[in-house]
Amino acid sequence: MGSNPLPSFVIVLILLVLNGQGPMTAKVEAKSTVHIVYLGERQHDDPKRVTDSHHDLLATLVGSKEVASDLMVYSYRHGFSGFAAKLTESQAKKLSELPGVVRVIPNSLHRLQTTRSWDFLGLSSHYPNHVLQNSKMGDGVIIGVFDTGIWPESKAFSDEGLGPIPSHWKGVCKSGDQFNAATHCNRKIIGARWFIDGFLAEYGQPLNTSDDPEFLSPRDANGHGTHTSSTASGAYVRNVSYRGLLSGTVRGGAPRARLAIYKVCWNVLGGQCASADILKAFDEAIHDGVDVLSLSIGYSLPLFSDVDERDGIATGSFHAVARGITVVCGAANEGPSAQTVQNTAPWILTVAASTMDRALPTPIMLGNNKTFLGRAIFTGKEKGFTGLTYPEGTGLDPTSAGACQSLSLNSTLVAGKVVLCFASVTSRVSVRLAAATVQEAGGIGLIIAKNPSDALIECRDDFPCIEVDYEIGTRILYYIRSTKSPTVKLGHSKTLVGKPVSAKVAFFSSRGPSSIASEILKPDITAPGVNILAATSQLDQWMDGGYAIHSGTSMATPHVSGIVALLKAIHPDWSPAAIKSALVTTARTKDASGFPLFAEGSPKKLANPFDFGGGIVNPNGAADPGLVYDMGLSDYIHYLCAMGYNNSAISRLTGQSTACPAEKPSFLDVNLPSITISSLRSSVTLTRTVTNVGSPNSIYRADIEPPTGMTVTVKPHILVFNSRTKKISFNVTVCATKQVNTGYFFGSLTWRNEQNAVRIPLSVKTEILESYADDN
């Protein structure tokens, strides 16, 4: 354990963005007695023998099986071997030294991170002959969701028209607080259970409070889990809107897929999830027979290593992927800063968030007959022209009084008026505090000038909170200062869809490169995650008629999980890596008008692979990718050896004896559907292998867009497949044309034939270290 053990209570994040702002990441430290004892792959197929061996191992330390049973929190016995137990630091250290024990680490906590989105992605039910119909809407596929539970009464979880429960399902539905398995589970919600022992052992406080209601059952008190589950696999529900906006039919990506609910996150401080509980959920889900796992969960930077069980997700997902289960995770909401992406293991499918071709313009009409369009969710009572004010300050910092996060208001000057403020802190909490301050002073509306972002902040009680960018905010301010009696009229928000609105990578979406291994491109793919309308808990404070609008990579993740279920229905023999490759190589890098995608930020810029991975997910293209960059256990071992992990840890993780080569292998030869070179000195040659999953007799030619300042050659540059040749390897050589140090430049390699374009992104940074030596 070492002489300076890390704090055992490490916060991680629910990937539900606070409407465009990254989550709070303050660490909470507390003494913990729960430790996860990781033993790697199970040594027996009999779960009872595995559990008995855990009790025997713990009994050797504590003196008896009775005491061991009292200390045991969980036995992990299906997907891998290990247990969670209450231990002192001394006991944990002794246990870590026993033969067969890979690691003993403290438990840790993670935090939690629609009508139009499926049409935007090309999955409208009005068009035949695409992936939605060809997959029978995901029928027979089981999506496991790790989250805050589910609100089973929602129409989104109706089982009308569904056939029998898939025969490969081996899980259970458990009754609990206000959740009756006999009535709340059906042919849609086929499994539901909860995992809380690891969390309770750490939290040590009452769980169900007036501020944070909760249920000891699969029932969702938060709304996050219901929202993600219905986005992935909700049934069709017609005539849904949110306060009269975004009207249409709500459904999930795979409407006929089945749901298995694993409640691992609890309604405390916005959503808390313990690693011990997450690992147990992985263990059970692997046993239960899920086909896809969807996790909108993450943690705070810095990242844990891939073999550190405090992550919980990397370890559990490895065992799931090894058994053919695709694991889909959110990239996190720490954007737009670089190197903030999470869930970076190459076996995980990591999802960034984008906007879509939909906006909610809200008119702001000034008394000088000029009208500006802001953004809001405002459908309350529309007033005529009223007073408009900006709280001017005095002294050395005259603008401080008008800062949204620290408004200083004179009730006499504000009463009955709309207030303009400028926000440097744009979290949902700070904006809503500003709105509350204006309301308390008698104001009737708020215009917030802020860094542009499409993730909207809704205020309570239909109080208008209209967002504009700094330029428009400044023009409104100049109008206020130009007249003695400035006035304004705030109009209702409208729903605008289609080509006038271009999709962008969301401001909050975490960006690459990975802070663990920059050569492993993350995120992998991008999906809609801004202003997503989906079902929610009746306890969600932002609920309207059982539905709510939320933003975050939490919302993007289940979009991809639903699409993966459709692909799994069409191609049940595809590996998780093949599915990832199909998504990445067919993704869109341009909007509907043919213009390159942008990424929100300061300033807005052209998006690159560190923003969106392969691009915005294209479900119909992914169903027929032509070629895939497949990977299996040997590829993941190659990666683990390249990371420098020791043979023992790798062997235990993979369940087979592993000896890494004396010379550390290169990350560049991991068979990813991308090429990322973080330090190109002069030239480098790497290898990729593609597998033909299209027409048996196919010929592909290489089409190269080299990054600026590079030459890229591919050998062979023509690939010929037939009934005997299904896999072909090729070499890629990248050369720097100038001996200079640069940032990253981007390009692509596309294999083309008459039917398919199989594109992978190239990201290259030159770093000519020799030049420093020459100068000395």
Side-chain angles (χ1 to χ4, degrees), residues 705-726:
E705 292 185 15
T708 301
M710 319 285 169
T711 62
V712 179
T713 57
V714 177
K715 293 183 180 180
H717 68 281
I718 297 176
L719 306 180
V720 180
F721 295 93
N722 54 44
S723 58
R724 294 190 303 274
T725 304
K726 297 182 178 180

Side-chain angles (χ1 to χ4, degrees), residues 639-662:
Y639 162 77
L640 294 168
C641 289
M643 285 294 295
Y645 300 136
N646 66 61
N647 292 336
S648 176
I650 297 173
S651 298
R652 287 289 180 178
L653 181 67
T654 61
Q656 66 181 44
S657 179
T658 300
C660 293

